[in-house]
Each structure stands twice: as C-alpha cells, then as structure tokens.
Amino acid sequence: MDKGKSVVAELAASFSDVRVTPRQNPKTKSFLPSPSFYSSSKKGKPQKLVSLCLGTLGQHLEDIITDISEFAALFPPHIKLTIMSIARRRRLLNDEVLTSLAESSWEILDISGSDVTDAGLATVANVCSNLRAVDISRCEKVTTSGVSEIVCHCPSLEILRCGGCPRSEVTARRCLDLLKPKLNNLEEDSWEELNTLDIGGGAESLKWLVWPKIDDNSKETLAAECPRVTVNPQPSLFDLSGSKVPVEALASVPLDHSIVEDIDPKTWAVSAAPRRPVAPPNPNAPPEIPIAERFRLAYVEREARLAPKRAKRERQQRRRAERDYMMNDIDARSMALAAQASRNLRKS
C-alpha cells in the first residue's frame, strides 16, 4: 500500500513542476480565451504530457473517486481544479469530491449540472473566498441558502451564472434580494453623502449575471434596483473579440473551458454508468485487496521472475569483460598463457 501511495506522490510532484494557469487578458481581466480562440484551428498541436496524464486519469476517475480525499492533498491547486472540471463533465461531482479538492487560490468555480448541495457550496465558499466567477446553473440541489453563502463569503464575485432547469430557475428568482445592495446607514439625505462603508451586504462586486431564461419581472427588478449588473451580456458590436465583456460572462462559453482546453474531449465522452446494486459481502470470503497492493504484489512477482535472467546476464557480461581484458592487456594475456602452460605440465 505504501508503494502505491509513493507512486501517487511522485505523480503529484511531477504535476507541481508544470504550472498550467489560465491566461489573463489585461484589458478584460478575463481568465478565458477570447471568442476568436474557438474559430482558430488547433489541429496538429501536440498535447502536453501533464494533459495526457490528466486525460488518462479522467477516463478512470470513477474507479478512484471514492478515495479522492486520500490523495487530493498531494496535487497542486491547478491540477485539483482540472480534476474537478473533469469530474463535473463525467457527472461525478458531488459535495465530497468538491470539498476534497477545494483550494483557496481558485478564482472560478463551475459546478453546473452537478450533484453539489448547499452544504458543499457553503464549505467551498469559506475556503475559496477569492472567487470571481461562479456557475451554479442546472444545480437542482442548490437553493438560496447556498447562494447566500457565496455572496456572503466571496466579496470579489463579479460573474454569476444560474438557471437552466426548473428548480434552478426558481432558486434564481428567489435570490434576487441577495443581489441587491444593503445600506448600513440610512441617516444621510442622498447617495452622494454615503461612504463606501455605508453600503454593505448584497453582491457588492457583481457586474454580470448570466441567466438565459430570465423572466421579464426579474429583469425589470434587476434593472431598477441593480443597475450596475448587466444581464446576459453579449460581445460588443464594436469589438467582436469581446474585450468589453469578460468571456466568463458569455453563456456560449463554458466557465471552466480554459482549465480543460488542452485535454482530449474523449476523456469525458463516456458518462459515468449507474452503479449496479452490490450484493451483501460474504463473511467467509477473503478481504478484497486494494488496487495499490495489487500493483505492489505484481511488481514483486515480476522482480522474482526476472531475477534469474538478470543474474545470468550479469555473469555473461562479467565473463565477456574478463575475456576482453585478457585479449587487450599484454600482461594479463601473458599471465593467462603461463597459467595454462602450468596446468598442461601438471597433467603431463
């Protein structure tokens, strides 16, 4: 078992040497590529080794997802974010996986279409307080309670994605009050006399709300009470590259696209198959051997099988070296001939 954990540690160390961070656009402060990126052809560009390893890991993620908390601490934050994005696409993302991988340095969080609940979202909100963009669309188990935790603990939140399914649509409508600014001081006569500290609560930094099926009443409420929030922004007509609107705020671009853009889409092409009902364990059956222990036993068996061949090869190499030495060195050759002559004299 220790052998298997050491292999995982070595793999995690190799990942930590390769830093693959999202690129930031200095104009938009966006951590995703511009829309023109999707029209460019990337055929022929070789994948990075770390992406190939993560793709292989992602294809077998359902085999290790139950034990992910044991080795998650070994990976650097950007690798954890990639694993989470793959788990979401494989429909394996839940509270346990999310909380095991969460890192304080994350700035984006895409849990759309996952089984994450309010409890998991609250835990991540406390850990990842620097989140700038969050996607909770199509999350049927997230309610206003979970959104409240994000708004409360993530003061830098600028982009929020929601809606997409009936329950998420209801949650989005109920969260409108959470997005409105709250006043801590109502004694002044006008907004101009208020300090920055007088405005507290609510999503203070929110600028972009992605809600494709927003109803007219909610849209009017946001326009009247949250005029700083742009709903369902589109790329500017004057700048088709989208420099005026962050790419994270475009509904057509997945929020975590930049995290997995170098990984083969076949990694998540096969969704997780429903688990078959497990038969009750037989008390007389031997305990199941963990995968790491199986690898260790296979390694020991292979070493034992190859040991005689290696010993034979070493003997042959030693004899060949001795023969070459005698043939090339005059003194050694003379001594060998003298020894052979003395043996022949004794026999005669």
Side-chain angles (χ1 to χ4, degrees), residues 3 25 53 56 78 89 102 150 154 208 213 273 289 315:
K3 183 80 174 180
N25 190 322
C53 293
T56 303
H78 66 283
R89 287 166 167 77
I150 289 289
C154 301
W208 317 96
K213 296 183 179 180
I289 302 177
R315 290 194 300 269

Side-chain angles (χ1 to χ4, degrees), residues 80 84 97-106 123-124 127-128:
K80 291 184 180 181
M84 189 205 71
V97 176
L98 181 61
T99 54
S100 298
L101 297 172
E103 280 286 340
S104 60
S105 61
W106 288 0
T123 302
V124 173
V127 175
C128 310

Side-chain angles (χ1 to χ4, degrees), residues 17-93:
D17 294 336
V18 184
R19 296 293 177 183
V20 184
T21 55
R23 298 185 298 274
Q24 185 177 15
N25 190 322
K27 295 182 179 180
T28 63
K29 296 183 179 179
S30 172
F31 286 84
L32 292 177
S34 62
S36 61
F37 167 81
Y38 300 98
S39 61
S40 62
S41 175
K42 299 185 70 177
K43 293 182 179 180
K45 181 180 179 181
Q47 285 185 288
K48 299 177 181 178
L49 179 59
V50 65
S51 300
L52 292 172
C53 293
L54 285 170
T56 303
L57 178 66
Q59 290 178 354
H60 304 280
L61 195 57
E62 66 275 8
D63 297 329
I64 61 174
I65 201 73
T66 55
D67 301 323
I68 196 169
S69 59
E70 297 183 9
F71 61 84
L74 301 173
F75 292 104
H78 66 283
I79 296 298
K80 291 184 180 181
L81 187 59
T82 305
I83 294 175
M84 189 205 71
S85 300
I86 295 175
R88 182 184 72 80
R89 287 166 167 77
R90 295 293 308 276
R91 300 179 184 177
L92 297 170
L93 185 60

Side-chain angles (χ1 to χ4, degrees), residues 291-308:
I291 295 179
E293 182 65 15
R294 294 180 189 175
F295 274 106
R296 190 190 70 81
L297 293 176
Y299 177 79
V300 171
E301 181 183 356
R302 178 177 176 273
E303 290 294 314
R305 187 175 66 254
L306 296 179

Side-chain angles (χ1 to χ4, degrees), residues 55-296:
T56 303
L57 178 66
Q59 290 178 354
H60 304 280
L61 195 57
E62 66 275 8
D63 297 329
I64 61 174
I65 201 73
T66 55
D67 301 323
I68 196 169
S69 59
E70 297 183 9
F71 61 84
L74 301 173
F75 292 104
H78 66 283
I79 296 298
K80 291 184 180 181
L81 187 59
T82 305
I83 294 175
M84 189 205 71
S85 300
I86 295 175
R88 182 184 72 80
R89 287 166 167 77
R90 295 293 308 276
R91 300 179 184 177
L92 297 170
L93 185 60
N94 53 31
D95 288 349
E96 182 180 359
V97 176
L98 181 61
T99 54
S100 298
L101 297 172
E103 280 286 340
S104 60
S105 61
W106 288 0
E107 293 189 358
I108 65 172
L109 179 67
D110 190 345
I111 60 171
S112 56
S114 67
D115 292 330
V116 175
T117 66
D118 291 338
L121 196 57
T123 302
V124 173
N126 282 276
V127 175
C128 310
S129 59
N130 297 318
L131 291 176
R132 293 180 50 256
V134 176
D135 190 345
I136 56 172
S137 58
R138 306 190 311 280
C139 289
E140 297 185 352
K141 299 181 180 179
V142 173
T143 65
T144 54
S145 176
V147 180
S148 175
E149 293 292 333
I150 289 289
V151 172
C152 178
H153 294 95
C154 301
S156 302
L157 182 66
E158 297 180 354
I159 301 169
L160 180 64
R161 299 186 179 202
C162 56
C165 68
R167 291 187 180 180
S168 187
E169 295 286 339
V170 173
T171 300
R173 284 192 289 271
R174 292 177 177 176
C175 289
L176 290 180
D177 290 337
L178 298 175
L179 307 181
K180 301 176 185 177
K182 307 295 189 303
L183 300 181
N184 295 331
N185 187 356
L186 300 177
E187 296 179 0
E188 306 297 341
D189 296 331
S190 66
W191 284 90
E192 289 79 4
E193 298 178 4
L194 290 178
N195 249 322
T196 304
L197 297 177
D198 295 330
I199 304 177
E204 303 173 17
S205 302
L206 188 65
K207 298 178 181 179
W208 317 96
L209 179 65
V210 181
W211 184 1
K213 296 183 179 180
I214 184 173
D215 57 281
D216 294 337
N217 292 335
S218 299
K219 196 170 185 178
E220 292 175 1
T221 301
L222 285 171
E225 303 190 29
C226 303
R228 70 189 186 284
V229 178
T230 303
V231 181
N232 296 329
Q234 300 295 327
S236 171
L237 297 177
F238 302 98
D239 188 354
L240 297 179
S241 65
S243 60
K244 294 184 179 180
V245 178
V247 184
E248 302 101 315
L250 299 178
S252 59
V253 183
L255 183 58
D256 59 355
H257 174 79
S258 66
I259 307 301
V260 295
E261 62 179 338
D262 194 41
I263 298 178
D264 189 354
K266 294 180 182 179
T267 301
W268 51 82
V270 180
S271 60
R275 296 183 178 273
R276 297 180 179 179
V278 180
N282 184 2
N284 299 325
E288 184 178 357
I289 302 177
I291 295 179
E293 182 65 15
R294 294 180 189 175
F295 274 106
R296 190 190 70 81

